Structures are given as C-alpha cells and as structure tokens.
Amino acid sequence: MKQLHARYPFLQSAREAVEGMTVTIVEIVRTEDEVVKRAVERIEGALEDGTIGESHRRDRVELLSYPVARVLVSLVDEHVLTRKYATAEARTAHDRFEYDLNRTVEFKSTQREQVTLDTLLREFSIASGVRKTSNGSAVDVGTYLDLAADKRGDEWRLVNRELADGEVFLASGEVLVLIRQAVKQRIESGLPLTVPEEIATGLETARERVAESLAELDLMRDIDTVVPEMFPPCMRALLDKVQKGDHLAHHSRFAIASFLTSIGMSTDEIVELFQVNPGFGEEATRYQVDHIRGDTSPTEYSTPSCATMQSYGDCVNMDNLCETIAHPMAYYEAKLDDTDEDEIVDWRERQSSDA
Ligand code: SF4
C-alpha cells in the first residue's frame, strides 16, 4: 500500500491499486466500518467546511474510503452534493500538491514517494500543452480554456491574460490551479455511478446519514451574498434594463425585486443598485421592495419560478445550467456552491472598498 495513493486516491495508479486488491467493495462495505466511517467524514467535511477532514492514520483506510465516498455520493445523487464533494477533494489535492512540491530536496530524499509537476501534467494528459517559462508556465490556449472555464474571477478570463502564439502565460503556481480543476473534473466524471444492489444495501445507514447532513445544510441555507455576475441570465437581463432606465412591466419589476430581496439585500441596497440611472423612481422602488418583503403587506413574496418567468416572457438568454434547474434561486445557489468561497466577492463589499 503506497502512501502516495492514500494521499492522492484519484490517481490512475491508485485506482489500479484498489482494483488489484483481493477484497471487493461489497466485502469492504460489509466488514470494514472504519472505511465507511472515513468515507462519510470525507463527504460531511465537504458539506460543512469544504475540506475532506483529517486523513486516517492507516493508508489502507484512507485510500479505500475514496471509492466508497464516490459510491455514497452516487447513492444520494444530488447535484449540489456531487459538486461540493468534488470541490473539496480537489481543494485538498491542491494543498497537498503545493506542500509536496515545495518541500526541500534534502527532505524529499528521505521521505515517501512524491508527486512532481511533470507527473501531474502527464497524469491529466496535459503535459504536451504546458511548458515552463522563466517565471511560470505557458499553456496551450485549448488546454487553458478547458480547465479555466469554471474559474471565477476576472484574472482567469482569457481577455485579461497575456496570450501569444496560441499560448496563455501563467504566473508561478497558477498551473497548479489548472491541475486542481483537472482533479475536480476527474472526480465529477462518471458520477453518479451505477451502484449494485448489494453495495447500496450495505451502505444504507451511511447513505441516510449523508442525506440528512445535506438536508440540514439546505435548511440552514439563508443566502446573503450578492454577486451580480452569478445571477441567472433572466435576472441579469432585468437588472441591466433597470440600470439603463428602460421601462419594466410590473411582473418583471416584481421578479427582479423579489430575487434581490431573497438573496439578502436590504431595501436601501436594492435602491442603490437600481439607482445607476438618474431616471429611476426611488420612491416607487422603495414602496415595491418593502411590499415584496412583507414590510407593508401581510405577505412575504418569493421569486417566481422558471415556469412563471417563461410565461411572462422574462426567461431570456438561457444557458446550460438553466437546463438543470427549475427556479432562478436554484440557479444562483448552484453558481455559489460551485465557486470557492475565497473567490466570492460580495457586491456590497466592493461598494464599500470603492467608497
Ligand atoms: S431558465 Fe430559469 S434561471 Fe434560467 S433564464 Fe430562464 S427563468 Fe432564469
């Protein structure tokens, strides 16, 4: 059992090591409680704080807990869980890559088998698209777009990158961010797995526990984050119109105001966000927002569903994510869930730092 495989269980060689074992997943699930417990920990850690928790002291348990965790994620089969789990595994891998690659040469020579940047690039079949430069890396633009497409933050947009002869230039360390994206893609690929009945039965208690943890998280969820770039296309379009001073029909105005209220904005903040255009009616906006939030009415209104938005003609510019959700709030939640917390910068924070 190699420590390298326990540390990086998504590597092809780790997978082969598991496949080469005499024990099957069915037997592990039936007889190795510690493996199942650690698998649950990996997933609960992902839900609670975006990590996979402390490694188990035994490499075998640590390694086997990874395929069992993938099976559990598949049994629960919720998009948000899969994303959070893959993100947490990839984040942990990134931290470990950084640690391992930065250890001193002398220390490395006395220690366990290590990953190197070259082996990582080969592992994800991107070695031919990446070359070293004096201060970082140059990445073939196709490879860059494949891996950076999900990255938030202006610095990852191709237009903000130095690009020459089909290569994008990265600073030192940034190539590891792309490898982290490759890890995430690999972990998500193939999920949900088709799980044989025998394994599903053996994991029923663990599955229930994970499903409960997920349900608790949903109940606790109270969005208070304003990132206009992640708004669903319909809401972005409505906000654009308001800010340009275009006239909005009542249902459209209601839709954008209720959405902004639902994501935690106060009446004052909504008025401020709307106020880019001098022609906007502050008093009418205040009245409507207060009404929607229930301050001046007996009802607190919620954001219309996609079906309602479609029936009013407010559903525009649908993208791939729209195909998977039924409510603009679900779209926004999915975007937030899919983004590292340190990459989320609330519009209100930006406003106060600009002031
Ligand atoms: S599908 Fe839903 S979230 Fe997407 S644009 Fe239409 S209404 Fe908005």
Side-chain angles (χ1 to χ4, degrees):
M1 177 68 50
K2 288 185 180 174
Q3 195 183 27
L4 180 78
H5 294 157
R7 204 162 159 76
Y8 301 113
F10 48 82
L11 294 178
Q12 186 58 31
S13 56
R15 183 187 174 147
E16 286 162 9
V18 172
E19 285 169 355
M21 286 180 181
T22 48
V23 65
T24 64
I25 294 282
V26 177
E27 288 163 337
I28 291 165
V29 162
R30 257 202 227 123
T31 61
E32 301 200 36
D33 289 350
E34 273 191 275
V35 172
V36 176
K37 192 168 161 235
R38 174 69 187 120
V40 171
E41 268 175 26
R42 289 182 103 99
I43 303 169
E44 288 188 332
L47 289 175
E48 282 159 20
D49 59 13
T51 73
I52 57 162
E54 287 292 308
S55 295
H56 195 278
R57 66 194 154 74
R58 287 170 53 210
D59 290 341
R60 175 192 160 81
V61 172
E62 186 64 10
L63 171 59
L64 290 175
S65 67
Y66 171 75
V68 174
R70 279 172 63 85
V71 169
L72 278 170
V73 167
S74 302
L75 287 169
V76 176
D77 192 17
E78 290 285 347
H79 195 53
V80 59
L81 177 67
T82 307
R83 266 199 328 269
K84 277 185 170 287
Y85 172 66
T87 302
E89 289 277 0
R91 177 180 294 155
T92 303
H94 184 208
D95 292 346
R96 290 177 180 173
F97 292 152
E98 278 186 330
Y99 178 80
D100 283 358
L101 296 176
N102 290 327
R103 279 146 62 98
T104 64
V105 173
E106 305 88 88
F107 192 51
K108 278 180 184 176
S109 64
T110 63
Q111 295 294 310
R112 58 176 184 256
E113 190 180 351
Q114 299 284 324
V115 289
T116 65
L117 189 55
D118 287 343
T119 56
L120 288 174
L121 294 173
R122 280 199 302 275
E123 172 77 26
F124 294 102
S125 308
I126 49 177
S128 61
V130 180
R131 72 178 171 84
K132 253 181 134 30
T133 62
S134 55
N135 54 358
S137 314
V139 180
D140 163 76
V141 69
T143 304
Y144 180 86
L145 288 174
D146 282 348
L147 296 173
D150 287 352
K151 292 296 298 169
R152 312 280 167 228
D154 282 351
E155 73 273 26
W156 292 100
R157 294 178 60 201
L158 192 58
V159 288
N160 295 330
R161 286 276 159 183
E162 188 188 344
L163 175 68
D165 297 329
E167 289 182 319
V168 182
F169 291 86
L170 303 187
S172 169
E174 285 186 325
V175 74
L176 282 185
V177 178
L178 295 190
I179 292 173
R180 165 178 168 169
Q181 294 299 100
V183 172
K184 183 168 171 241
Q185 287 176 6
R186 176 175 288 185
I187 289 169
E188 280 180 314
S189 71
L191 292 180
L193 306 163
T194 306
V195 183
E197 194 60 40
E198 251 184 310
I199 298 177
T201 307
L203 284 174
E204 183 50 24
T205 307
R207 186 203 66 78
E208 276 174 11
R209 181 167 166 173
V210 171
E212 267 169 35
S213 300
L214 183 62
E216 275 166 25
L217 185 88
D218 271 347
L219 286 177
M220 278 159 38
R221 176 129 210 170
D222 191 8
I223 293 183
D224 187 9
T225 310
V226 182
V227 188
E229 305 85 69
M230 292 185 197
F231 285 3
C234 49
M235 297 303 169
R236 257 179 286 156
L238 290 177
L239 184 59
D240 274 358
K241 281 188 176 176
V242 175
Q243 292 182 327
K244 274 197 238 141
D246 292 354
H247 171 75
L248 284 193
H250 177 77
H251 52 80
S252 308
R253 214 173 159 87
F254 171 81
I256 181 69
S258 59
F259 174 78
L260 296 174
T261 303
S262 299
I263 65 171
M265 291 183 78
S266 67
T267 303
D268 282 347
E269 287 163 350
I270 295 175
V271 166
E272 192 184 337
L273 187 66
F274 278 19
Q275 212 164 10
V276 177
N277 186 282
F280 117 112
E282 175 173 342
E283 208 177 317
T285 302
R286 272 189 193 283
Y287 176 79
Q288 189 173 26
V289 173
D290 285 342
H291 188 76
I292 287 166
R293 85 167 66 253
D295 289 353
T296 57
S297 69
T299 318
E300 188 181 342
Y301 294 93
S302 50
T303 311
S305 67
C306 293
T308 307
M309 295 286 284
Q310 277 155 15
S311 67
Y312 280 119
D314 282 332
C315 170
V316 293
N317 309 332
M318 281 176 72
D319 61 18
N320 290 345
L321 183 54
C322 287
E323 308 288 343
T324 67
I325 49 90
H327 200 284
M329 289 298 292
Y331 182 108
Y332 189 53
E333 280 189 36
K335 281 273 181 182
L336 291 174
D337 284 338
D338 214 11
T339 306
D340 290 343
E341 269 173 33
D342 46 12
E343 288 182 16
I344 295 176
V345 185
D346 195 294
W347 172 80
R348 295 167 290 194
E349 282 168 35
R350 280 180 253 167
Q351 293 301 106
S352 54
S353 62
D354 288 352

